[in-house]
Amino acid sequence: MRTALSGLTTRGRCLLAAGFAAGVCAAVLNERDLLRVAAFVIALPLLAAWLATRARVGLHAARFLAPSRVPVGAASEVKLDLRSTGRLPTGGLMLEDTVPYALGARPRFLVERLPRNTPTSLRYPLKPVMRGIQQVGPLMARITDPFGLAEFDRELAGRSRLVVVPRVVRLSGLPGGSGMGAGDDGSVRLRAGQGEDDAVVRPYRQGDDLRKVHWRSTARRDELMVRVEERPWRGGTTILLDHRVHAHRGSGPTASLEWAISFAASICLHLHHFGHQVRLVSEDGRVLAGGSSDGGHSDHVVLDSLAALQGSHRRELSGGMDPGAGQEVIAVLGGLSPASAEELVRYRPRGTRSLAVLLDVNAWDGGSSNSAASAPEPEDARRLLSGAGWGVAIAKPSASMQQVWQELCASAGTRGPSFRSEVG
């Protein structure tokens, strides 16, 4: 009874107090009719509270997300299945599902009548604007009686996990001399001899340079063949992602950090498509995906690791080792100081392919900088990296990711003989 009384609303409590007052007056004045009215007025809120309590006990719900992992900007649908197993039908049911602000407004539903043992389905959409591991729920229900005399709150369903992965842009083309996605070990001889007939060839793939077409083999096999003259990317590719908060500007979905994460995800999936073994690392050398456990084969592993990635509070790039561990590197960098650029150059072998995308993070500032000081200009770091044989492209918010990728591919194709394999 104490639980039932705790659910009385202000209206119910006032009605109950009025009933007791009427009962006292009826006893003092010896008015039987007033006593009957007092008994009715007292019984009404008590009965309403008891019925609402019984309806709360027999109420159940389940939540389903379809799909449970979506990219930024895509839609997911939430389905709520409600069922009442109580002996009495449930009415006056108000539902509110807890939704993070990044997924939209909190949905509210009013169910006037929920029949016994008859499932009822409710649906609402989610359209995330920020990547991350989001928690949907809990689902709260407020059960009331038709007169509004009693109400009870109850958690019907717990939390459901929604993985919002970065937006992936489809890229085209590959950097020159990358083996065009062959994914072979770089220790393999690329030419069996000096003559034209001994050239190593393979079928043409999208993105191959047409200047490398081997016409004699093409005519013999009646299939477009290309000559393999340049060293494949040995042992895979390392994508270095700089996610230092200090190195980026902007906030929310339009921050430079979100652009860098989305671009890194696009490169990983693009290289996977061409058969590359991809390893994704942070600026301190920590492996985010593509280690020995998953082998770099799963796109889901890469996207899920980036979905959960938080900004690092390091001030400078951590040095002391080659971030690529001997592999070719594509670095996606935020605001890079000359000291950090020299750190990258110092530990990277000069003859190993090294490419970098420098974000002009000051262009992402938009008047709401994360730091009082402006970030270093990318041109200073570009001169240092280019002088050390790196291929460099500068990214601005006005340029598309495909344009930046094409600029990076073009810079890789003009690096000179240091990226070409020696003829045996």
Side-chain angles (χ1 to χ4, degrees):
M1 179 59 69
R2 181 176 299 179
T3 303
L5 292 177
S6 65
L8 290 175
T9 62
T10 302
R11 181 185 300 175
R13 294 177 186 274
C14 291
L15 193 62
L16 187 63
F20 279 112
V24 172
C25 292
V28 172
L29 300 176
N30 195 21
E31 289 287 341
R32 292 187 177 183
D33 293 338
L34 182 59
L35 185 61
R36 295 188 185 96
V37 172
F40 175 77
V41 172
I42 292 174
L44 185 59
L46 295 179
L47 180 62
W50 180 79
L51 291 176
T53 304
R54 297 289 295 177
R56 181 182 66 170
V57 172
L59 198 59
H60 305 278
R63 183 191 300 105
F64 303 95
L65 275 66
S68 60
R69 61 188 310 278
V70 293
V72 173
S76 178
E77 186 179 63
V78 179
K79 178 185 177 184
L80 300 173
D81 285 346
L82 305 178
R83 181 184 292 271
S84 176
T85 58
R87 295 183 178 181
L88 298 174
T90 302
L93 180 62
M94 181 177 293
L95 299 172
E96 181 178 6
D97 209 2
T98 305
V99 174
Y101 76 94
L103 300 181
R106 290 187 176 185
R108 293 181 175 88
F109 301 95
L110 179 61
V111 180
E112 296 182 357
R113 182 179 177 84
L114 186 63
R116 178 173 173 263
N117 290 328
T118 302
T120 300
S121 295
L122 303 173
R123 301 173 186 268
Y124 67 89
L126 295 176
K127 191 169 183 180
V129 296
M130 280 287 291
R131 63 174 181 86
I133 308 299
Q134 306 290 353
Q135 298 292 334
V136 181
L139 175 65
M140 302 301 298
R142 176 165 293 180
I143 303 145
T144 63
D145 66 285
F147 302 104
L149 301 178
E151 63 181 20
F152 295 91
D153 292 332
R154 183 187 171 189
E155 181 179 319
L156 294 184
R159 289 178 169 85
S160 300
R161 186 169 179 262
L162 178 66
V163 180
V164 184
V165 301
R167 182 174 62 95
V168 175
V169 175
R170 186 168 184 176
L171 305 176
S172 61
L174 287 171
S178 65
M180 301 307 172
D184 301 328
D185 191 329
S187 62
V188 178
R189 281 284 181 195
L190 296 180
R191 296 182 74 104
Q194 299 293 329
E196 179 73 13
D197 292 335
D198 293 328
V200 177
V201 295
R202 60 168 176 78
Y204 174 83
R205 293 173 181 167
Q206 182 180 2
D208 285 345
D209 189 350
L210 292 177
R211 292 174 296 182
K212 303 299 182 183
V213 173
H214 192 264
W215 296 108
R216 183 173 299 180
S217 298
T218 298
R220 183 169 59 250
R221 302 189 185 187
D222 196 22
E223 180 184 3
L224 199 59
M225 308 294 292
V226 294
R227 185 190 304 110
V228 181
E229 291 183 344
E230 303 195 46
R231 178 174 62 189
W233 290 24
R234 95 172 57 182
T237 305
T238 294
I239 309 299
L240 172 63
L241 174 61
D242 179 11
H243 63 106
R244 296 171 296 148
V245 175
H246 175 72
H248 290 276
R249 297 292 183 271
S251 61
T254 59
S256 63
L257 176 59
E258 297 303 318
W259 193 98
I261 291 175
S262 179
F263 188 57
S266 301
I267 295 176
C268 289
L269 269 62
H270 179 62
L271 295 182
H272 275 167
H273 174 72
F274 282 94
H276 282 280
Q277 301 296 318
V278 178
R279 191 172 70 108
L280 178 65
V281 301
S282 62
E283 75 284 342
D284 58 355
R286 179 169 56 95
V287 178
L288 302 176
S292 57
S293 60
D294 57 74
H297 293 289
S298 174
D299 291 345
H300 288 341
V301 172
V302 174
L303 293 177
D304 289 352
S305 64
L306 290 176
L309 186 65
Q310 300 295 323
S312 169
H313 295 286
R314 296 179 180 272
R315 301 288 293 183
E316 297 291 343
L317 291 178
S318 299
M321 65 178 66
D322 176 14
Q327 296 182 340
E328 281 72 12
V329 164
I330 299 179
V332 183
L333 305 170
L336 194 66
S337 65
S340 296
E342 291 176 355
E343 193 80 6
L344 283 176
V345 170
R346 183 180 303 117
Y347 294 100
R348 284 292 294 164
R350 189 176 181 87
T352 306
R353 176 182 301 278
S354 303
L355 306 175
V357 175
L358 300 176
L359 274 68
D360 186 3
V361 295
N362 290 320
W364 265 274
D365 195 345
S368 58
S369 175
N370 296 337
S371 174
S374 297
E377 291 297 330
E379 289 296 339
D380 298 334
R382 182 177 195 168
R383 284 191 292 268
L384 287 171
L385 295 176
S386 298
W390 286 57
V392 182
I394 294 181
K396 296 180 180 292
S398 58
S400 67
M401 293 186 185
Q402 175 60 30
Q403 291 173 334
V404 176
W405 177 247
Q406 288 177 344
E407 182 183 349
L408 188 66
C409 293
S411 69
T414 58
R415 291 300 93 201
S418 62
F419 291 103
R420 301 185 64 86
S421 59
E422 295 181 1
V423 177

